Amino acid sequence: MKTKEFFGKFCSLYLWGNLLAMALVVVGLCVGVKYGLAAYTHHGEGITVPRLVNMSCSNARLLIDEQGLELVVTDSGYNKRLPADCILTQSPEAGMKVKAGHIIYVSVNAKSSPTLPIPDVVDNSSFREAEAKLRALGFKLLPPKRILGERDWVYGILCHGRRVATGDRISIDSPLTLLVGNGQYGADEDIDYMEPDPAFLDTEKEGDIDDFEEVEEPVEEVENVEEIDNPKPDGM
């Protein structure tokens, strides 16, 4: 192929027409994808989340439905200063922009205070240990009541003047009083004495043989007793 023919093909209208058509197709695809996705996802459009806190759940649900959103209750709490079924928290927060159909998660106020089981602290822990466990669970504690017993040992729990046992469910708004030992014991309190082992008292039992033998001091034998009794005078 000659050089003139080679460069002549680049000047062909057919070639440049194909290149232009390909370019137009690529540009059209890019523009279509951009605006098509924007239309499909409602890009640039948003709904302002209304404030639902302190609103009743029924009224909040009506408002959310009007906005084209969805309301889902995920948790509950308790605030005695607010009415029951009142919304305590929401997510997303008020004022944020969301798309239509977005879910708004809320927590509502319970009708009564939650109840929790009493942990195993009676006759099983000291005052500090029991106090820490109960406060960590959310219980309210009154000053402890001192009774006779080992110092700072927990002997019981009172709630509104009555004893409660391990596992009893008590409202966290009901204060508890711990019965704690004062380190003293009553005069009428039973004291356990340990009886001595009879084996240590009876040193001799039937059938035992005493190996002890009495040893007398040896006496020197005297050959002539008379000489001792009547000694001879010197020189005889």
Side-chain angles (χ1 to χ4, degrees):
M1 180 181 296
K2 296 181 179 181
T3 305
K4 185 178 180 180
E5 294 178 356
F6 178 76
F7 285 103
K9 289 185 177 293
F10 280 100
C11 298
S12 174
L13 295 177
Y14 179 76
L15 176 62
W16 286 106
N18 289 335
L19 292 176
L20 180 60
M22 292 174 61
L24 292 175
V25 170
V26 171
V27 173
L29 288 175
C30 292
V31 173
V33 170
K34 177 182 178 181
Y35 289 98
L37 289 176
Y40 179 76
T41 58
H42 302 282
H43 182 70
E45 299 179 7
I47 301 174
T48 303
V49 177
R51 179 177 175 82
L52 305 177
V53 177
N54 297 336
M55 185 182 297
S56 66
C57 189
S58 57
N59 293 337
R61 195 176 296 278
L62 292 176
L63 178 60
I64 287 297
D65 290 341
E66 292 176 358
Q67 298 286 339
L69 303 174
E70 185 178 353
L71 184 69
V72 175
V73 178
T74 59
D75 197 4
S76 63
Y78 180 70
N79 188 337
K80 61 183 178 181
R81 294 186 296 271
L82 296 176
D85 205 32
C86 176
I87 294 180
L88 300 176
T89 60
Q90 68 177 84
S91 178
E93 297 180 357
M96 295 187 63
K97 293 284 187 177
V98 296
K99 294 182 175 63
H102 193 83
I103 299 176
I104 309 299
Y105 299 97
V106 298
S107 62
V108 299
N109 195 31
K111 295 181 180 179
S112 59
S113 60
T115 60
L116 297 174
I118 297 294
D120 186 14
V121 296
V122 176
D123 203 21
N124 192 35
S125 58
S126 64
F127 170 65
R128 289 187 177 182
E129 294 173 345
E131 183 183 32
K133 289 181 181 179
L134 293 171
R135 290 190 184 278
L137 291 174
F139 287 106
K140 298 178 181 179
L141 298 180
L142 298 176
K145 182 179 180 180
R146 297 289 177 173
I147 62 174
L148 296 176
E150 183 178 350
R151 188 172 188 83
D152 290 337
W153 189 252
V154 177
Y155 289 95
I157 301 177
L158 296 180
C159 181
H160 298 302
R162 66 178 185 86
R163 279 182 176 264
V164 293
T166 301
D168 291 348
R169 300 191 68 90
I170 304 298
S171 172
I172 59 174
D173 286 341
S174 299
L176 305 178
T177 303
L178 296 179
L179 302 179
V180 182
N182 57 6
Q184 300 178 1
Y185 297 91
D188 56 347
E189 187 172 352
D190 294 337
I191 301 178
D192 296 333
Y193 291 96
M194 182 178 292
E195 294 293 339
D197 191 346
F200 293 97
L201 298 179
D202 299 336
T203 56
E204 295 184 2
K205 299 181 179 179
E206 295 182 1
D208 292 346
I209 300 175
D210 190 1
D211 295 334
F212 176 77
E213 295 181 359
E214 183 178 359
V215 179
E216 298 180 355
E217 182 180 1
V219 179
E220 296 181 358
E221 295 181 357
V222 181
E223 295 180 355
N224 195 343
V225 179
E226 295 181 355
E227 292 181 359
I228 296 177
D229 295 338
N230 300 312
K232 294 181 180 181
D234 295 340
M236 292 183 63

